């Protein structure tokens, strides 16, 4: 069948991008297939796993539970946009590397987006707050211990850099 | 999986949205946060012909808190209501309940009114609306009507919303002075739907005796189960009230079903335990207000 296509304009990682999509195109698929940004991973497609988490106007959301047309005119940050302008990994990305907070890496983009927004709002989280922050993302490899370490390490790096 | 095809509408005004809904009739579905609707589409459990995305309709994201209660617009996200100090000051129960709704990332997008319209008997917000005796304002091309909670939830995932109607806001009435609330649930994982859950509201009289006590239970019936336990509490001072009689009254009233996660007996037992805990905490909160 011929589906009506809608023109959407998204500012993705600071760059204005356009795509023509059917109404049912999920934001996750728009990012991956229409815009070629395959860093956003697609897992369960019903909001449980969190692999597809991106920042929509700075707030973490499930891109598999958002239509691309709904996001028209908004700002998206994907895992590709977390590094600094000079390509240097962000504190959260560095902490994940240092603490070995990833194994297969499939869930990692979602964790990085979630944790980035979390530490922006709560720069010095308690153990419990950190635990709750990552609880909405599923990781089948690590048992979360190193991910939690990385959350705290990232907070440390950020506060060191903020103080420097 | 992916959603089935539909005609997408992105109205810029409420009037336009109601026109499209009126024409679409039973084949139309409103999209606000999409945290319940899009999973249903992705899993092909729903296939509406028309999706009416109200995210561009101005004015629907308001949260108005006053002495009478809190009115929440159709586009007010769970997170916005959860973070609203004004809403929490009038009705602490809103924040108590919202912290149990899914995960923070889902709450960034999902809406309170959407959760009410979705009418999942395991969800927290329908129970809160039912407990407080709130209402949902439904608009259609023909006008507006206010549907009380007691009539709004008609069955599992079924509400009194008619084809062509849009739930524009929900009203959560404030409780009398010297009232306290609590919400407790048991879920297999924090953020999952509760195996059982209980919201409680307790109001004390001038002598700090229980004047009114009510609970709303989730995951133990087709709709939120509201039980008035005032009589079971007796007119004893709240501080020394034994909540066991009240918990037993709640246990007797609920008719849960068993499933792969919990037997009906376990759910009933759990509901009693949670009712006692929620009532005790609500009474303590009512005391705190007095102090």
């Amino acid at each position: 069948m011929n589906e009506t296509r809608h023109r959407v304009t998204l500012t993705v990682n600071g760059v204005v991008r356009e795509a023509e999509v059917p109404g049912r195109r999920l934001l996750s698929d728009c990012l991956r297939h229409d815009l070629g940004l395959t860093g956003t991973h697609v897992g369960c497609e019903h909001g449980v796993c969190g692999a597809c988490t991106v920042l929509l106007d700075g707030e973490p959301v499930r891109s598999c539970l958002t239509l691309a047309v709904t996001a028209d005119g908004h700002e998206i940050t994907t895992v590709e946009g977390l590094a600094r302008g000079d390509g240097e990994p962000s504190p959260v990305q560095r902490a994940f590397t240092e603490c070995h907070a990833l194994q297969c890496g499939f869930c990692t983009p979602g964790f990085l987006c979630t944790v980035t927004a979390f530490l922006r709002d709560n720069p010095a989280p308690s153990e419990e707050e950190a635990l709750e922050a990552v609880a909405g993302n599923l990781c089948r490899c690590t048992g979360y211990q190193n991910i939690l370490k990385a959350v705290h390490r990232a907070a440390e790096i950020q506060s060191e850099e903020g103080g420097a | 999986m992916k959603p089935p095809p539909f005609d997408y509408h992105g109205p810029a005004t409420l009037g336009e949205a109601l026109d499209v809904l009126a024409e679409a009739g039973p084949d139309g579905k409103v999209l606000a946060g999409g945290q319940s609707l899009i999973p249903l589409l992705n899993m092909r459990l729903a296939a509406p012909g028309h999706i009416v995305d109200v995210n561009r309709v101005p004015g629907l994201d308001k949260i108005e808190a006053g002495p009478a209660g809190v009115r929440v617009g159709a586009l007010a996200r769970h997170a916005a209501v959860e973070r609203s100090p004004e809403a929490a000051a009038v009705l602490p129960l809103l924040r108590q309940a919202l912290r149990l709704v899914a995960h923070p990332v889902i709450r960034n997008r999902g809406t309170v009114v959407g959760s009410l319209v979705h009418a999942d008997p395991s969800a927290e917000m329908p129970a809160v609306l039912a407990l407080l005796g709130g209402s949902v304002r439904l608009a259609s091309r023909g006008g507006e009507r206010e549907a009380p909670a007691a009539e709004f939830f008609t069955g599992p995932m079924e509400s009194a919303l008619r084809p062509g109607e849009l739930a524009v806001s929900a009203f959560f009435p404030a409780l009398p002075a010297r009232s306290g609330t609590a919400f407790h649930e048991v879920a297999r994982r924090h953020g999952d739907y509760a195996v059982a859950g209980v919201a409680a509201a307790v109001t004390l009289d001038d002598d700090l005796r229980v004047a009114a006590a009510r609970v709303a239970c989730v995951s133990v019936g087709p709709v939120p189960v509201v039980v008035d336990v005032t009589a079971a509490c007796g007119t004893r001072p709240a501080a020394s009230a034994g909540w066991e009689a009240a918990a037993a009254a709640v246990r007797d009233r609920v008719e849960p079903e068993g499933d792969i996660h919990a037997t009906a007996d376990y759910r009933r037992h759990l509901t009693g335990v949670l009712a006692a805990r929620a009532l005790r905490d609500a009474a303590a909160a009512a005391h705190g207000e007095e102090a």
Side-chain angles (χ1 to χ4, degrees):
Chain A
M1 74 177 270
N2 277 329
E3 288 185 58
T4 309
R5 298 177 84 85
H6 307 263
R7 177 157 288 276
V8 297
T9 306
L10 306 171
T11 304
V12 187
N13 303 326
V15 179
V16 177
R17 304 285 305 266
E18 289 199 342
E20 256 190 35
V21 298
R24 61 175 166 148
R25 177 81 87 241
L26 302 172
L27 178 59
S28 43
D29 290 334
C30 177
L31 292 168
R32 290 176 57 83
H33 303 307
D34 298 305
L35 304 181
L37 292 167
T38 51
T40 299
H41 288 176
V42 169
C44 69
E45 285 193 327
H46 60 276
V48 173
C49 79
C52 70
T53 306
V54 300
L55 308 183
L56 173 64
D57 295 332
E59 293 300 327
V61 301
R62 301 280 200 251
S63 62
C64 79
L65 296 189
T66 309
L67 298 180
V69 271
T70 301
D72 180 33
H74 292 268
E75 280 191 26
I76 312 287
T77 305
T78 67
V79 68
E80 289 97 339
L82 295 182
R84 291 172 175 174
D86 55 6
E88 181 74 10
S90 73
V92 176
Q93 288 172 313
R94 269 187 278 155
F96 267 65
T97 316
E98 271 184 37
C99 301
H100 191 55
L102 64 164
Q103 283 186 25
C104 84
F106 188 82
C107 66
T108 307
F111 271 103
L112 291 174
C113 288
T114 305
V115 173
T116 299
F118 170 64
L119 290 179
R120 177 198 63 206
D121 298 340
N122 187 350
S126 68
E127 193 63 42
E128 208 180 316
E129 288 166 338
L131 192 62
E132 182 173 358
V134 299
N137 292 61
L138 295 185
C139 167
R140 294 200 182 276
C141 304
T142 69
Y144 291 85
Q145 296 313 309
N146 289 350
I147 292 174
L148 282 167
K149 269 185 219 158
V151 174
H152 293 296
R153 177 66 190 130
E156 222 171 76
I157 297 174
Q158 281 186 353
S159 97
E160 281 164 11
E161 291 190 347
Chain B
M1 287 185 281
K2 315 297 177 191
F6 50 75
D7 284 340
Y8 173 85
H9 308 268
T13 66
L14 182 59
E16 215 180 296
L18 296 179
D19 281 346
V20 180
L21 279 171
E23 274 150 44
D27 209 18
K29 193 85 192 158
V30 172
L31 170 69
Q35 304 300 285
S36 300
L37 176 61
I38 296 185
L40 288 178
L41 297 176
N42 285 358
M43 291 189 274
R44 304 270 172 133
L45 293 169
H50 298 267
I51 291 283
V52 184
D53 180 351
V54 295
N55 279 285
R56 289 173 199 84
V57 177
L60 286 186
D61 59 349
K62 281 198 193 118
I63 303 166
E64 295 163 313
V70 180
R71 184 169 286 282
V72 176
L75 280 179
R77 314 286 168 186
H78 289 307
V81 181
E82 181 188 354
R83 287 179 201 141
S84 163
E86 295 82 13
V90 177
L91 275 172
L93 180 59
L94 290 176
R95 190 172 281 174
Q96 291 160 355
L98 284 164
R99 286 188 172 152
L100 301 172
V101 175
H103 299 285
V105 174
I106 301 287
R107 300 203 289 271
N108 280 339
R109 199 73 201 147
T111 63
V112 169
V113 173
S115 165
L116 298 174
V117 170
H118 188 59
D120 190 323
S122 303
E124 291 82 4
M125 297 321 283
V128 170
L129 193 81
L131 179 74
L132 298 173
S135 57
V136 181
R137 184 174 291 169
L138 303 166
S140 66
R141 206 154 59 174
E144 281 191 346
R145 66 185 178 111
E146 196 86 23
E151 293 161 25
F152 187 70
F153 304 108
T154 54
M157 326 297 255
E158 281 177 3
S159 77
L161 185 91
R162 296 177 193 139
E165 282 185 325
L166 169 67
V168 287
S169 66
F171 183 67
F172 296 88
L175 288 160
R178 277 190 300 283
S179 294
T181 55
F183 203 133
H184 288 297
E185 67 177 38
V186 168
R188 289 183 309 142
R189 177 174 72 134
H190 179 72
D192 281 2
Y193 280 116
V195 174
V198 177
V202 173
T203 303
L204 307 179
D205 65 15
D206 291 343
D207 300 321
L208 300 182
R209 289 174 308 197
V210 176
R214 244 175 11 258
V215 299
C217 312
V218 307
S219 296
V220 291
V223 295
V225 182
V226 178
V227 190
D228 191 319
V229 292
T230 312
C233 289
T235 49
R236 287 185 298 177
S240 64
W243 301 104
E244 283 316 310
V250 176
R251 258 196 313 270
D252 290 345
R253 274 288 305 282
V254 298
E255 292 175 350
E257 287 188 17
D259 61 19
I260 191 170
H261 305 304
T263 62
D265 278 350
Y266 175 58
R267 278 209 164 85
R268 188 178 297 109
H269 165 76
L270 197 55
T271 304
V273 172
L274 292 170
R277 199 176 292 170
L279 284 163
R280 189 179 303 115
D281 286 356
H287 267 282
E289 228 174 62
E290 174 68 13

